[in-house]
Amino acid sequence: APAGSFVDVAMGLLFTCALKADGTAWCWGDRTEGATGAARYVPRQVQARARFTRIFAGYEQDPCGLTADGALHCWSVLAGPELFLARPRMPDRRFVKVAMSTFRIALST
């Protein structure tokens, strides 16, 4: 794991993501090698303009982060154009809680 303290952690199938006190998200594990060729267990910082207050992951779902104003951002830890790049989901809504399993579930305000 990256050095420092964490305020939240989320685990999916073969990967873990953690949230630092500064709002940055980091992920590592078997599913984080992807197209980058990086070592599997080397933590990678999620690229995001936003800072997160909570982090979520599902069994095989891409992880997501929730910002202080309730914006939901998700990213891929496997491959593709969203690899470690946080992108807003449903930007016209604000969320209070996110629960994830095989399928994502989000509750809006």
Side-chain angles (χ1 to χ4, degrees), residues 1 4 9 13-15 21 23 30 42 59 62-64 68 77-78 94 99 101:
V9 65
L13 178 65
L14 305 176
F15 72 92
D30 272 352
V42 173
Y59 179 68
D62 290 336
C64 296
V77 294
L78 185 56
R94 294 296 172 249
S101 62

Side-chain angles (χ1 to χ4, degrees), residues 17-30:
C17 293
L19 181 65
K20 286 189 166 190
D22 66 1
T24 59
W26 295 74
C27 298
W28 62 93
D30 272 352

Side-chain angles (χ1 to χ4, degrees), residues 2-101:
S5 299
F6 299 102
V7 294
D8 203 5
V9 65
M11 296 186 314
L13 178 65
L14 305 176
F15 72 92
T16 301
C17 293
L19 181 65
K20 286 189 166 190
D22 66 1
T24 59
W26 295 74
C27 298
W28 62 93
D30 272 352
R31 294 192 68 190
T32 60
E33 193 169 8
T36 65
R40 293 184 293 190
Y41 297 105
V42 173
R44 300 224 15 233
Q45 183 175 356
V46 174
Q47 300 305 306
R49 290 184 181 162
R51 293 294 178 229
F52 303 111
T53 58
R54 296 285 318 271
I55 193 169
F56 307 90
Y59 179 68
E60 288 187 346
Q61 295 297 318
D62 290 336
C64 296
L66 197 60
T67 65
D69 67 350
L72 182 66
H73 299 256
C74 300
W75 57 90
S76 174
V77 294
L78 185 56
E82 295 186 1
L83 184 66
F84 291 97
L85 176 62
R87 295 182 186 241
R89 297 291 190 255
M90 295 187 275
D92 58 330
R93 294 192 175 216
R94 294 296 172 249
F95 299 89
V96 293
K97 185 174 181 179
V98 175
M100 298 176 81
S101 62

